[in-house]
PDB file of all heavy atoms in Angstrom:
ATOM      1  N   SER A 118     103.978  16.401   1.930  1.00  0.00           N
ATOM      2  CA  SER A 118     103.286  15.358   1.370  1.00  0.00           C
ATOM      3  C   SER A 118     104.163  14.156   1.164  1.00  0.00           C
ATOM      4  O   SER A 118     105.268  14.344   0.698  1.00  0.00           O
ATOM      5  CB  SER A 118     102.552  15.649   0.107  1.00  0.00           C
ATOM      6  OG  SER A 118     102.132  14.523  -0.563  1.00  0.00           O
ATOM      7  N   LEU A 119     103.739  12.990   1.506  1.00  0.00           N
ATOM      8  CA  LEU A 119     104.531  11.813   1.129  1.00  0.00           C
ATOM      9  C   LEU A 119     104.547  11.454  -0.345  1.00  0.00           C
ATOM     10  O   LEU A 119     105.146  10.476  -0.758  1.00  0.00           O
ATOM     11  CB  LEU A 119     104.008  10.674   1.967  1.00  0.00           C
ATOM     12  CG  LEU A 119     104.139  10.622   3.417  1.00  0.00           C
ATOM     13  CD1 LEU A 119     103.462   9.334   4.017  1.00  0.00           C
ATOM     14  CD2 LEU A 119     105.534  10.805   3.951  1.00  0.00           C
ATOM     15  N   GLN A 120     103.793  12.278  -1.082  1.00  0.00           N
ATOM     16  CA  GLN A 120     103.906  12.124  -2.602  1.00  0.00           C
ATOM     17  C   GLN A 120     105.299  12.119  -3.106  1.00  0.00           C
ATOM     18  O   GLN A 120     105.606  11.457  -4.038  1.00  0.00           O
ATOM     19  CB  GLN A 120     103.018  13.116  -3.274  1.00  0.00           C
ATOM     20  CG  GLN A 120     101.605  12.748  -3.413  1.00  0.00           C
ATOM     21  CD  GLN A 120     100.745  13.961  -3.915  1.00  0.00           C
ATOM     22  OE1 GLN A 120      99.903  14.511  -3.168  1.00  0.00           O
ATOM     23  NE2 GLN A 120     100.944  14.462  -5.027  1.00  0.00           N
ATOM     24  N   LYS A 121     106.073  12.948  -2.499  1.00  0.00           N
ATOM     25  CA  LYS A 121     107.458  13.025  -2.925  1.00  0.00           C
ATOM     26  C   LYS A 121     108.271  11.863  -2.331  1.00  0.00           C
ATOM     27  O   LYS A 121     108.702  11.972  -1.289  1.00  0.00           O
ATOM     28  CB  LYS A 121     108.083  14.448  -2.492  1.00  0.00           C
ATOM     29  CG  LYS A 121     107.513  15.539  -3.290  1.00  0.00           C
ATOM     30  CD  LYS A 121     108.154  16.805  -2.849  1.00  0.00           C
ATOM     31  CE  LYS A 121     107.415  18.011  -3.390  1.00  0.00           C
ATOM     32  NZ  LYS A 121     107.314  19.139  -2.499  1.00  0.00           N
ATOM     33  N   ARG A 122     108.300  10.837  -3.066  1.00  0.00           N
ATOM     34  CA  ARG A 122     108.885   9.615  -2.434  1.00  0.00           C
ATOM     35  C   ARG A 122     110.435   9.594  -2.583  1.00  0.00           C
ATOM     36  O   ARG A 122     110.909   9.871  -3.594  1.00  0.00           O
ATOM     37  CB  ARG A 122     108.341   8.452  -3.264  1.00  0.00           C
ATOM     38  CG  ARG A 122     107.050   8.009  -2.724  1.00  0.00           C
ATOM     39  CD  ARG A 122     106.215   7.559  -3.934  1.00  0.00           C
ATOM     40  NE  ARG A 122     104.812   7.974  -3.607  1.00  0.00           N
ATOM     41  CZ  ARG A 122     104.107   7.150  -2.843  1.00  0.00           C
ATOM     42  NH1 ARG A 122     104.542   6.000  -2.477  1.00  0.00           N
ATOM     43  NH2 ARG A 122     102.871   7.480  -2.528  1.00  0.00           N
ATOM     44  N   SER A 123     111.009   9.297  -1.457  1.00  0.00           N
ATOM     45  CA  SER A 123     112.461   9.030  -1.510  1.00  0.00           C
ATOM     46  C   SER A 123     112.744   7.753  -2.164  1.00  0.00           C
ATOM     47  O   SER A 123     111.836   6.810  -2.154  1.00  0.00           O
ATOM     48  CB  SER A 123     112.984   9.080  -0.024  1.00  0.00           C
ATOM     49  OG  SER A 123     112.416   7.968   0.646  1.00  0.00           O
ATOM     50  N   THR A 124     113.970   7.533  -2.615  1.00  0.00           N
ATOM     51  CA  THR A 124     114.358   6.279  -3.156  1.00  0.00           C
ATOM     52  C   THR A 124     114.189   5.123  -2.113  1.00  0.00           C
ATOM     53  O   THR A 124     113.703   4.044  -2.433  1.00  0.00           O
ATOM     54  CB  THR A 124     115.839   6.315  -3.649  1.00  0.00           C
ATOM     55  OG1 THR A 124     116.007   7.531  -4.242  1.00  0.00           O
ATOM     56  CG2 THR A 124     116.209   5.160  -4.495  1.00  0.00           C
ATOM     57  N   ALA A 125     114.531   5.465  -0.843  1.00  0.00           N
ATOM     58  CA  ALA A 125     114.346   4.447   0.182  1.00  0.00           C
ATOM     59  C   ALA A 125     112.852   3.981   0.319  1.00  0.00           C
ATOM     60  O   ALA A 125     112.623   2.798   0.520  1.00  0.00           O
ATOM     61  CB  ALA A 125     114.866   4.980   1.469  1.00  0.00           C
ATOM     62  N   ALA A 126     112.007   4.961   0.233  1.00  0.00           N
ATOM     63  CA  ALA A 126     110.559   4.678   0.464  1.00  0.00           C
ATOM     64  C   ALA A 126     110.041   3.777  -0.631  1.00  0.00           C
ATOM     65  O   ALA A 126     109.341   2.863  -0.515  1.00  0.00           O
ATOM     66  CB  ALA A 126     109.732   5.993   0.504  1.00  0.00           C
ATOM     67  N   VAL A 127     110.570   4.071  -1.890  1.00  0.00           N
ATOM     68  CA  VAL A 127     110.043   3.372  -3.063  1.00  0.00           C
ATOM     69  C   VAL A 127     110.655   1.905  -2.943  1.00  0.00           C
ATOM     70  O   VAL A 127     109.952   0.933  -3.271  1.00  0.00           O
ATOM     71  CB  VAL A 127     110.378   3.994  -4.471  1.00  0.00           C
ATOM     72  CG1 VAL A 127     110.213   3.020  -5.593  1.00  0.00           C
ATOM     73  CG2 VAL A 127     109.717   5.310  -4.600  1.00  0.00           C
ATOM     74  N   SER A 128     111.811   1.695  -2.476  1.00  0.00           N
ATOM     75  CA  SER A 128     112.409   0.408  -2.440  1.00  0.00           C
ATOM     76  C   SER A 128     111.657  -0.450  -1.423  1.00  0.00           C
ATOM     77  O   SER A 128     111.689  -1.706  -1.507  1.00  0.00           O
ATOM     78  CB  SER A 128     113.896   0.474  -2.095  1.00  0.00           C
ATOM     79  OG  SER A 128     114.076   0.900  -0.723  1.00  0.00           O
ATOM     80  N   LYS A 129     111.012   0.167  -0.426  1.00  0.00           N
ATOM     81  CA  LYS A 129     110.214  -0.626   0.510  1.00  0.00           C
ATOM     82  C   LYS A 129     109.078  -1.401  -0.169  1.00  0.00           C
ATOM     83  O   LYS A 129     108.699  -2.450   0.199  1.00  0.00           O
ATOM     84  CB  LYS A 129     109.579   0.274   1.629  1.00  0.00           C
ATOM     85  CG  LYS A 129     110.511   0.641   2.681  1.00  0.00           C
ATOM     86  CD  LYS A 129     109.810   1.294   3.764  1.00  0.00           C
ATOM     87  CE  LYS A 129     110.825   1.827   4.800  1.00  0.00           C
ATOM     88  NZ  LYS A 129     110.265   2.279   6.017  1.00  0.00           N
TER      89      LYS A 129
END
Side-chain angles (χ1 to χ4, degrees):
S118 168
L119 294 180
Q120 269 171 249
K121 290 181 189 141
R122 276 138 213 280
S123 64
T124 316
V127 170
S128 72
K129 280 192 184 186

